Amino acid sequence: MPAASTPKWNRLEPDERRTQILAAAVRLFGDKPYAEVSMADVAAAAGVARGLIHHYIGSKRDLYLECVRFLVTVPPIEDVHLPTGSVEERARGSVHWLVGVIEAHGTAWVSVASGSGVDQQVAQILDEADDLAAERVLDATAFETHRGDRRIATSAVRAFGGMVKAAGREWLVRGTLTRDQVETLLTDVLVTVLSTARSLDNAPER
């Protein structure tokens, strides 16, 4: 009787292996509550030995935090082609890009980005991601102020981010909006937010 063969794992570069593990974990944490996901589940979904997860990422908690960071961090604008031109054209391109990021992550993004019931570590990751997303939206729309200070605009776009999350939920979870409707809605709101932020920045300080 032949001896049972041992599993053979595909040899990948460390970054590729880490990405493979994260992708599997994101799917699982998106489908199940944290308590119902085990490291064995992640290993099986990723097709790796359980020890590799500890080697590349760490504990289950470390893995979850990495998944949260991966889901809510908007990629650099240098990685995509965005339109130039008017504020409206730039806003439309920026929203199209943001909605594409959301669609790629699906309901897992909605679940994590909502921030409901999160602890301090997760809240910090969400805050950092909101700040980064606001800066990247301002960069994508080429927003500048005569004072060279974008604090008001950053705060305004962070507030806009709350609507992005709500619209994502209406689209992906509740099914009350289509993707096209979400893009139209968010584009119009972003144009207004940028215009108002510029007016606030230009107003004399009191």
Side-chain angles (χ1 to χ4, degrees), residues 87 137-138 143 152-161 163 186-200:
V87 172
V137 167
L138 291 174
F143 185 92
I152 291 176
T154 299
S155 296
V157 176
R158 275 180 59 99
F160 166 73
M163 186 166 186
L186 293 180
T187 297
D188 289 348
V189 172
L190 180 57
V191 170
T192 301
V193 165
L194 294 175
S195 176
T196 303
R198 192 177 302 281
S199 296
L200 291 173

Side-chain angles (χ1 to χ4, degrees), residues 74 77 82 87 90-91 94 97-98 130-145 149-158 160 190 193-195 197-198:
V74 174
I77 62 172
L82 294 173
V87 172
R90 289 176 179 271
S94 300
W97 162 57
L98 283 174
D130 286 346
D131 286 340
L132 183 60
E135 287 297 328
R136 287 180 171 167
V137 167
L138 291 174
D139 289 341
T141 55
F143 185 92
E144 296 295 341
T145 68
D149 183 348
R150 300 203 303 192
R151 283 179 296 178
I152 291 176
T154 299
S155 296
V157 176
R158 275 180 59 99
F160 166 73
L190 180 57
V193 165
L194 294 175
S195 176
R198 192 177 302 281

